[in-house]
Amino acid sequence: MAAEGTSTTTLLDLPDKYRVFLHLEPPSISWRHGKPPTYGIVNQLFEEGRTKEWPKGSLEETVQNAVKSWEMELSHKIKLQDFNTINPRKFKLFVNGREGLSGEETLRIGSYNAFLKSPLPEEFQYYKAEEETFESSHEAFRSCFPRGFAWEVIEVYSPPPLIAFKFRHWGFFEGPFKSHSPTGELVEFYGLATLKVDEALKVEEAEVYYDPAELFGGLLKGKITASESQSKENVKEDLAASVGCPFFKPKE
């Protein structure tokens, strides 16, 4: 449920059939990049790679499009009061049982950092959300998934006011991720979520459960670049030398 990705090719000037709010926004909306986003490339990835095609007007299609619209607003709108998909006063996001984030907190740090925070000790974190900004996190995933990061509903288990569903998130690792070279392979993960909605079907609480290792297992398969590998080796040598490690032998 992180950002799906946008592009600026001429493909994408067509109306977006998955994010209806995108074409109903008043001119007063403040967009993060100065204008509404376009999603043609990731929509193509979605249509080519989805495993389900839901009937028009079905609960599954409604939930799928609502989440896509929420992602669009979270990634591209600056003001929480401009959101159509959530109740700004009540909204809370809970990920993997962690403490809930308010709408303002989620908007400030961005979807990637909200979903990828880790309770692990820092030395075991493969992504350090606290060190990333909204912009740097989005840039990292735009880089590794140049065609976007598609999202689909796999199954809906219950109707409003407490919607429970299973989802799939996927992309192709075709650009660098941090110090890891692209593999070109499919990277995907599955998760479960619930949405508590009000009478107007605006989300008051969202709970999401998934395993981040499914995502990073694919991204960390990429070979580490030579410069980064040498840097890590130098750090190891410096550390061993500083503590007088008897097994440390400087390179000749």
Side-chain angles (χ1 to χ4, degrees):
M1 295 167 73
E4 285 195 283
T6 59
S7 180
T8 55
T9 67
T10 54
L11 262 181
L12 303 185
D13 294 331
L14 299 173
D16 194 303
K17 55 188 174 183
Y18 305 115
R19 303 166 186 83
V20 64
F21 291 128
L22 196 50
H23 310 289
L24 302 175
E25 302 287 8
S28 59
I29 295 295
S30 298
W31 295 101
R32 188 172 295 275
H33 302 291
K35 60 181 180 180
T38 50
Y39 283 87
I41 288 180
V42 75
N43 284 350
Q44 182 176 340
L45 177 68
F46 165 72
E47 290 169 358
E48 292 174 350
R50 61 187 168 186
T51 61
K52 306 283 186 179
E53 187 168 355
W54 300 112
K56 191 169 182 62
S58 66
L59 178 59
E60 291 84 358
E61 187 208 38
T62 300
V63 172
Q64 184 169 266
N65 290 353
V67 173
K68 288 177 180 288
S69 295
W70 174 68
E71 177 280 318
M72 176 274 294
E73 293 187 310
L74 181 57
S75 296
H76 295 281
K77 288 183 176 180
I78 296 174
K79 299 176 182 178
L80 197 66
Q81 60 264 34
D82 289 338
F83 281 42
N84 295 296
T85 55
I86 67 170
N87 183 323
R89 293 182 297 103
K90 295 184 177 181
F91 182 80
K92 282 280 188 179
L93 172 65
F94 301 87
V95 180
N96 287 339
R98 296 196 304 269
E99 183 179 354
L101 296 171
S102 69
E104 289 290 355
E105 289 172 312
T106 307
L107 181 60
R108 177 177 58 82
I109 65 176
S111 55
Y112 286 113
N113 290 331
F115 283 97
L116 295 174
K117 278 188 173 185
S118 173
L120 293 173
E122 185 175 346
E123 61 267 29
F124 299 120
Q125 294 180 18
Y126 24 71
Y127 178 89
K128 296 178 172 62
E130 288 75 11
E131 296 179 5
E132 301 285 348
T133 64
F134 184 110
E135 290 76 15
S136 70
S137 64
H138 277 254
E139 182 53 39
F141 287 91
R142 272 196 300 265
S143 170
C144 68
F145 296 132
R147 286 192 282 158
F149 198 18
W151 189 92
E152 69 171 335
V153 162
I154 297 296
E155 189 171 357
V156 175
Y157 303 112
S158 61
L162 186 60
I163 306 167
F165 60 94
K166 182 179 182 180
F167 66 87
R168 171 178 172 250
H169 221 334
W170 77 97
F172 287 88
F173 185 15
E174 297 169 327
F177 177 73
K178 303 292 186 179
S179 59
H180 293 267
S181 299
T183 64
E185 295 179 1
L186 171 70
V187 175
E188 64 180 344
F189 67 88
Y190 292 80
L192 298 170
T194 62
L195 302 176
K196 179 184 176 183
V197 299
D198 62 17
E199 297 83 358
L201 297 182
K202 294 192 176 186
V203 179
E204 295 181 341
E205 290 184 4
E207 287 195 50
V208 182
Y209 296 90
Y210 77 104
D211 183 359
E214 292 186 10
L215 168 63
F216 288 108
L219 296 178
L220 300 184
K221 283 173 64 177
K223 292 182 179 179
I224 297 178
T225 58
S227 59
E228 181 69 14
S229 180
Q230 183 60 50
S231 174
K232 289 185 177 181
E233 185 63 32
N234 291 342
V235 169
K236 289 180 182 178
E237 292 179 0
D238 291 345
L239 178 61
S242 69
V243 298
C245 176
F247 304 106
F248 170 71
K249 181 180 179 181
K251 292 181 179 179
E252 301 295 334

